Amino acid sequence: MTHFKNISYSAALCFSLLFLSCEEETLGDQSFGSLEGKVVTNGDNLPLENVKITTNPASTTVFTDSDGNFTIQDILTGDYSIQADKDNYETSFEAASIFIDKSTTVIFEMDSTSASNLQPLTPVLYFPADKQIKVTSPVEFLWSSAASDEDDIEYTLELRNGNTGETQLFTTVADTTFTVENLAIGATYFWQVTASDNITDPVQSKISNFQLEGIETNRFLFVRNINGNNVIFSGGEPVGNNSQEINQNEVQLTTDNLNSYRPKTNRLAEKIAFIRTIGGESHLFTMNLDGTNQKQLTQEIPIAGFRQDEIEYAWHNNGGSIYYSNFNKLYTINIDGSGNRLVYEALNEEFITEVATNPANEQVVIKLNNAEGYNAQLRIVNPDSSLGTQTIITGVTGALGGIDFSLDGNKVLYTRDVSNTENAQYRQLDTRIFEYDLSTNTSTEIDTQKPTGFNNLDAKYAPNGGYVVFTYTSNDGISEKSIIRKQLDVVDIIENETLFTNGYMPNWE
């Protein structure tokens, strides 16, 4: 009996120890395994380096090596969500179970963010149309395109001069229109537009070409002030509804680094004459109609007199020579710079400031004034005889100028400040346009509906005699100037037509 009890006690003790031993292993010990894997691009299976690998529940964060591999040692056993992150790629997830003392492998195939984005629509070029000719400058390019998703689109306009090969790139254009100025006149250009959302591959339009309108269609010359210098431009007729699209086919002919002004075309010579300031003196130059081959004519005897910007010269009718003044003397010079000779001399106190040629004969009309610009008179002179034949305007108070002969030689155009103001600044307050009829010896104002406080300056006849073109500006001397033309002898039409803004010293041939 006693022996049985001892056996039962021993068995109970062993069972208790065994139970306690099992309970300590389950609650106190942690089990670990490992996780390894590889990250590649979806489709190409190219390894991805520096991909960030994290787990949920959290464990160690690691990055892939150059082969796209990664390993997390000593990760607690259990079920995990594994996350892969890399810039410009979509975040990827894989499930994994970790077992004690075992390695679990996962593979990530990551998509680039561009793979889920749609490319922009291919741009379609509208204007200038393919192979379009006589396109006027500046050119407003127009195309169509759009985003296929929510991404912003940027455009690049590539423009290549087919004559010179020069290429211009206009980048980060946000709209489907873009204006380019100062393109080469008469040149053929090739253009293409690229659309990009900065995510997907850019898409390109077809290549289109066009030809700019040439200089041969430009009938107008004028001057603008750029960086303190007078700069000569060529321009074309207004176009569009009611001819209101102004500043057409503008082409800069002279550099803005030199002071060049008073341009005048002669179609027989196919040349443009102009005045340029050289070393403090004013000299006559000529150039081709497109601004090339600029050549100085005068050398020892420059253009000189009252206010260099008021001085005007004149082409001889045959286009072979030019009349110009030096104080009280009128000279002629051939367009190759030879044959400089004196053709008329006024009194010492009379400055010859302007000259205009009569298209019907060999006469010229000159404007004379004193050293202050006043006491002006208009005198008709025969350069062949060097004699003053007729003084048509004299005894005028105030400024007078802008002279020109009519096509038939019977009228002289001029401007006069009817306010009769005379001042040290030669400021004009109310300058209007007049015609002097040589057959009746009378002057008539050309009504331009000019308001008070404005001046009409630099008046010239049109080549057909049916219009006058002139500079219109405020009398304050600092406001913008515009070039205007008005049709003559048409009672029902009183509106003036603007040709060019920010321009003066017009010439129309």
Side-chain angles (χ1 to χ4, degrees):
M1 188 70 174
T2 302
H3 179 69
F4 175 78
K5 288 181 178 179
N6 288 338
I7 293 175
S8 298
Y9 178 79
S10 297
L13 179 61
C14 288
F15 179 81
S16 298
L17 290 173
L18 178 63
F19 175 80
L20 289 173
S21 175
C22 292
E23 183 178 37
E24 285 178 3
E25 181 179 345
T26 301
L27 297 179
D29 294 340
Q30 293 179 312
S31 302
F32 295 90
S34 63
L35 176 68
E36 61 183 28
K38 188 177 185 69
V39 183
V40 297
T41 59
N42 188 16
D44 298 329
N45 292 324
L46 300 175
L48 284 174
E49 186 179 7
N50 289 327
V51 179
K52 181 181 179 181
I53 305 298
T54 56
T55 66
N56 186 19
S59 66
T60 304
T61 298
V62 296
F63 291 85
T64 59
D65 59 20
S66 59
D67 295 321
N69 298 320
F70 69 90
T71 301
I72 300 178
Q73 301 286 358
D74 299 327
I75 183 173
L76 287 170
T77 57
D79 295 327
Y80 289 85
S81 174
I82 318 301
Q83 180 174 326
D85 290 289
K86 183 176 176 63
D87 288 343
N88 299 322
Y89 285 83
E90 293 185 355
T91 300
S92 184
F93 297 89
E94 293 290 340
S97 296
I98 306 301
F99 301 98
I100 187 170
D101 295 331
K102 293 186 178 298
S103 178
T104 301
T105 301
V106 292
I107 303 294
F108 287 94
E109 294 180 331
M110 297 187 72
D111 288 313
S112 67
T113 53
S114 62
S116 61
N117 280 269
L118 299 175
Q119 288 181 307
L121 299 180
T122 301
V124 177
L125 309 183
Y126 287 125
F127 184 84
D130 193 27
K131 298 181 177 58
Q132 184 173 347
I133 62 174
K134 295 185 178 181
V135 177
T136 58
S137 180
V139 179
E140 183 178 18
F141 293 87
L142 173 65
W143 63 90
S144 70
S145 181
S148 300
D149 48 28
E150 298 300 320
D151 300 319
D152 293 330
I153 305 299
E154 288 183 347
Y155 300 100
T156 298
L157 169 63
E158 182 175 355
L159 189 60
R160 179 170 60 86
N161 186 327
N163 298 3
T164 65
E166 178 187 5
T167 298
Q168 296 174 271
L169 278 179
F170 304 95
T171 59
T172 62
V173 178
D175 203 354
T176 55
T177 61
F178 191 79
T179 300
V180 180
E181 299 180 343
N182 299 325
L183 295 179
I185 55 175
T188 297
Y189 281 89
F190 296 83
W191 67 298
Q192 185 176 39
V193 173
T194 301
S196 173
D197 60 7
N198 294 313
I199 299 174
T200 60
D201 292 334
V203 291
Q204 292 182 313
S205 70
K206 293 181 179 179
I207 297 176
S208 182
N209 73 82
F210 63 94
Q211 184 179 28
L212 276 178
E213 185 176 51
I215 193 71
E216 67 279 354
T217 63
N218 283 357
R219 302 288 302 276
F220 299 95
L221 295 174
F222 60 94
V223 173
R224 281 195 177 126
N225 186 289
I226 301 177
N227 299 326
N229 281 325
N230 290 306
V231 181
I232 298 172
F233 283 78
S234 170
E237 282 276 351
V239 297
N241 295 331
N242 299 320
S243 298
Q244 291 305 302
E245 294 183 21
I246 60 177
N247 298 327
Q248 288 299 306
N249 202 36
E250 293 182 356
V251 180
Q252 183 174 327
L253 300 182
T254 61
T255 176
D256 52 19
N257 294 323
L258 295 171
N259 190 46
S260 307
Y261 56 101
R262 291 290 177 199
K264 293 187 178 184
T265 302
N266 186 282
R267 291 293 173 177
L268 290 177
E270 288 295 294
K271 292 285 186 180
I272 298 171
F274 62 99
I275 303 174
R276 172 170 286 169
T277 304
I278 300 292
E281 293 183 336
S282 297
H283 285 276
L284 265 178
F285 280 71
T286 60
M287 60 182 168
N288 294 337
L289 299 182
D290 61 359
T292 60
N293 193 27
Q294 298 182 11
K295 178 181 178 180
Q296 183 175 341
L297 302 187
T298 53
Q299 300 292 336
E300 291 83 7
I301 306 175
I303 293 176
F306 165 74
R307 293 180 65 102
Q308 299 295 77
D309 60 336
E310 294 287 334
I311 293 178
E312 287 203 45
Y313 58 91
W315 280 94
H316 192 279
N317 288 334
N318 62 16
S321 59
I322 297 174
Y323 296 109
Y324 77 97
S325 61
N326 178 278
F327 295 108
N328 67 323
K329 297 180 177 65
L330 183 67
Y331 291 89
T332 182
I333 188 169
N334 297 330
I335 62 171
D336 62 359
S338 67
N340 197 350
R341 64 186 179 89
L342 177 68
V343 296
Y344 180 76
E345 184 172 1
L347 299 176
N348 288 335
E349 65 273 12
E350 295 179 329
F351 286 9
I352 302 173
T353 304
E354 299 182 38
V355 56
T357 310
N358 190 330
N361 54 47
E362 297 302 318
Q363 292 180 335
V364 298
V365 59
I366 58 176
K367 186 196 87 170
L368 303 104
N369 51 258
N370 60 22
E372 290 75 37
Y374 299 117
N375 193 25
Q377 55 181 298
L378 299 185
R379 185 179 301 166
I380 295 176
V381 173
N382 187 335
D384 290 338
S385 63
S386 299
L387 297 176
T389 60
Q390 182 183 0
T391 299
I392 58 175
I393 302 288
T394 188
V396 173
T397 304
L400 184 147
I403 61 174
D404 195 20
F405 257 116
S406 63
L407 191 62
D408 60 9
N410 292 327
K411 294 180 180 180
V412 174
L413 191 72
Y414 67 97
T415 62
R416 184 170 71 85
D417 184 0
V418 298
S419 73
N420 299 320
T421 300
E422 295 188 357
N423 52 72
Q425 295 76 34
Y426 199 67
R427 178 180 173 182
Q428 302 179 46
L429 301 184
D430 190 6
T431 299
R432 306 182 185 186
I433 303 173
F434 294 85
E435 280 184 309
Y436 185 89
D437 191 321
L438 294 173
S439 61
T440 62
N441 296 323
T442 57
S443 289
T444 304
E445 181 181 351
I446 296 175
D447 187 7
T448 63
Q449 306 294 307
K450 181 186 69 65
T452 302
F454 287 80
N455 289 324
N456 293 335
L457 307 169
D458 303 325
K460 295 292 179 287
Y461 284 112
N464 65 0
Y467 295 83
V468 289
V469 59
F470 56 93
T471 300
Y472 172 75
T473 185
S474 168
N475 68 14
D476 60 14
I478 58 175
S479 295
E480 180 177 292
K481 301 174 181 177
S482 298
I483 295 175
I484 308 294
R485 71 175 167 191
K486 175 178 175 54
Q487 191 169 2
L488 297 174
D489 302 325
V490 179
V491 177
D492 294 336
I493 300 177
I494 61 173
E495 277 195 15
N496 300 322
E497 182 182 11
T498 301
L499 301 176
F500 302 96
T501 56
N502 187 25
Y504 47 95
M505 298 185 184
N507 175 247
W508 185 7
E509 296 293 342

